[in-house]
Amino acid sequence: MTEQQIPSSIMIGDRAIGSQQPPFIIAELSGNHSQSLDTAKAMVKAAAECGAHAIKLQTYTADSMTLDVQEKGFVIEEQDSLWHGASLYSLYQKAATPYEWHAELFSLANSLGMLAFSSPFDEHAVDFLDSLNVPCFKIASFELTDIPLIRKAASKGKPLIMSTGMATLSEIELAVNTARAAGCQDIILLKCTSTYPAEAANTNLVTIPHLRSAFGCQVGLSDHTGGIGAAVASVALGATVIEKHFVLDRNGGGVDAAFSLEPSELSALVVESQRAWQALGQVCYGGSRAEEKSKQYRRSIYASTDIKPGEAFGPDNLKIVRPAFGLAPKHWDTVQGKQATGFIAKGTALSWEHIAP
């Protein structure tokens, strides 16, 4: 693992992704359409209205994900899971996006000015998505160790976005090296906490710059926390991509609704992540050009009473006040006890010509 040159930008479709552009916001539809094509289309339209730059689907069938068995390990047993008691097969049946919807949803997204792509979960899904001319592929965090899947996706000559989830450094290194060996150089890694929902305290955003330097890749965030705070904060650490699950109404159901953004929140994410990016700027001291006029409202030395010719200056007739058209406060000690060259009216900004040598 060696530090490599990080690409300044990666083209996904017609959009440049990189530190010189606002964060690329992906609305993940997941299974929140609840098997309704009308709902899925409404989600795509809402994502566009919110200003999202892309929508993402998940491309699988229950049979491509798991086995239809009820044995231990194939049923979700964690008491705190949103899906406690469900079999993996039934969950994926419920959450799957039918293959026959993909072309229509992608076309709709494109017509609304968004990019559209998906996460393939098996090699057949890679070929299917490639036939639809997706601009990139996304590898989900649980599939980061599926090396044959990564090799297949990377071989298509398109950018690859990979969520790192609970992967170790060595597992990420193997995934990245596999993708590069298969011909993919345009790789974006996403810091991701693979709990649903995720807690802010487990998000560890400071990993983002480490990932970037360790693998020479752009890095973003796949965020499962509530709200937009973690996502906006990630921008300050260099995230160029932010992916959030999306739902029309959390109370309306959807397998991932509990940790998905509603439209008003997605709109806020688009606006606030761009503001965070704009605020990064560059190292700057002495005030920006925009602050130049504000300098007049600093303090300076003024006559606080009428001052007679020859009168000595002191705290009884001078005062440090706003604005800043007089001598700077750093000269206060210098002028104490000096004499006025002439009459000075109250409210006059003190200058060197008022001071006798």
Side-chain angles (χ1 to χ4, degrees), residues 297-304 319-325 329:
Y297 299 112
R298 285 175 159 183
R299 289 175 174 259
S300 66
I301 304 172
Y302 272 76
S304 58
K319 194 171 183 180
I320 296 173
V321 296
R322 297 182 183 186
F325 299 112

Side-chain angles (χ1 to χ4, degrees), residues 82-109:
L82 294 173
W83 311 294
H84 172 71
S87 71
L88 295 180
Y89 193 87
S90 66
L91 176 63
Y92 298 135
Q93 275 186 319
K94 180 180 178 182
T97 300
Y99 275 44
E100 57 268 25
W101 291 7
H102 282 57
E104 184 173 359
L105 294 176
F106 286 172
S107 177
L108 176 60

Side-chain angles (χ1 to χ4, degrees), residues 58 74 93 101 128 132 144 211 218 222 270 280 300 339:
Q58 296 180 0
F74 288 88
Q93 275 186 319
W101 291 7
F128 170 71
L132 297 179
L144 192 75
L211 264 178
Q218 287 191 38
S222 178
V270 172
L280 291 176
S300 66
Q339 294 180 328

Side-chain angles (χ1 to χ4, degrees), residues 14-320:
D14 60 359
R15 185 177 180 88
I17 313 298
S19 61
Q20 299 305 305
Q21 289 79 34
F24 181 59
I25 307 300
I26 304 168
E28 162 68 82
L29 271 59
S30 183
N32 284 336
H33 47 64
S34 299
Q35 299 286 299
S36 165
L37 178 57
D38 286 342
T39 298
K41 290 193 288 188
M43 292 174 73
V44 172
K45 292 175 183 176
E49 291 170 358
C50 292
H53 306 123
I55 59 106
K56 191 183 79 66
L57 307 180
Q58 296 180 0
T59 306
Y60 62 81
T61 65
D63 287 305
S64 72
M65 289 290 276
T66 191
L67 302 176
D68 187 10
V69 297
Q70 300 294 316
E71 304 301 321
K72 186 175 179 61
F74 288 88
V75 176
I76 298 173
E77 298 179 350
E78 290 87 354
Q79 293 289 336
D80 59 350
S81 172
L82 294 173
W83 311 294
H84 172 71
S87 71
L88 295 180
Y89 193 87
S90 66
L91 176 63
Y92 298 135
Q93 275 186 319
K94 180 180 178 182
T97 300
Y99 275 44
E100 57 268 25
W101 291 7
H102 282 57
E104 184 173 359
L105 294 176
F106 286 172
S107 177
L108 176 60
N110 294 158
S111 73
L112 296 171
M114 294 187 295
L115 297 175
F117 54 97
S118 187
S119 293
F121 286 81
D122 68 306
E123 295 189 28
H124 170 69
V126 173
D127 288 330
F128 170 71
L129 291 170
D130 191 44
S131 74
L132 297 179
N133 297 314
V134 293
C136 64
F137 295 100
K138 160 74 192 298
I139 302 297
S141 62
F142 287 81
E143 275 59 46
L144 192 75
T145 56
D146 189 340
I147 297 305
L149 176 64
I150 292 173
R151 184 184 303 120
K152 176 76 171 183
S155 73
K156 297 297 185 178
K158 298 177 179 181
L160 201 56
I161 302 173
M162 298 195 288
S163 280
T164 56
M166 51 259 148
T168 63
L169 273 171
S170 62
E171 288 171 336
I172 299 170
E173 182 178 24
L174 178 57
V176 169
N177 288 346
T178 296
R180 286 174 172 155
C184 179
Q185 300 306 313
D186 291 337
I187 299 170
I188 300 173
L189 298 176
L190 301 186
K191 174 67 182 75
C192 175
T193 301
S194 296
T195 55
Y196 308 88
E199 296 296 329
N202 295 329
T203 301
N204 298 314
L205 293 180
V206 293
T207 309
I208 289 173
H210 185 268
L211 264 178
R212 185 171 56 245
S213 62
F215 297 103
C217 295
Q218 287 191 38
V219 178
L221 178 69
S222 178
D223 182 30
H224 305 131
T225 63
I228 66 172
V232 172
S234 74
V235 178
L237 291 164
T240 58
V241 174
I242 297 172
E243 178 188 82
K244 289 284 281 189
H245 286 239
F246 181 56
V247 70
L248 293 177
D249 179 2
R250 270 194 295 274
N251 296 320
V255 291
D256 296 340
F259 56 89
S260 298
L261 296 184
E262 292 182 337
S264 62
E265 296 167 312
L266 181 59
S267 294
L269 174 61
V270 172
V271 171
E272 297 302 333
S273 63
Q274 180 160 347
R275 283 179 177 161
W277 170 75
Q278 290 172 328
L280 291 176
Q282 57 191 359
V283 176
C284 178
Y285 295 101
S288 64
R289 184 174 299 177
E291 294 172 284
E292 198 61 36
K293 290 183 179 179
S294 296
K295 288 184 177 179
Q296 66 182 297
Y297 299 112
R298 285 175 159 183
R299 289 175 174 259
S300 66
I301 304 172
Y302 272 76
S304 58
T305 65
D306 289 343
I307 301 175
K308 299 174 183 177
E311 184 178 341
F313 294 119
D316 292 337
N317 55 20
L318 295 179
K319 194 171 183 180
I320 296 173

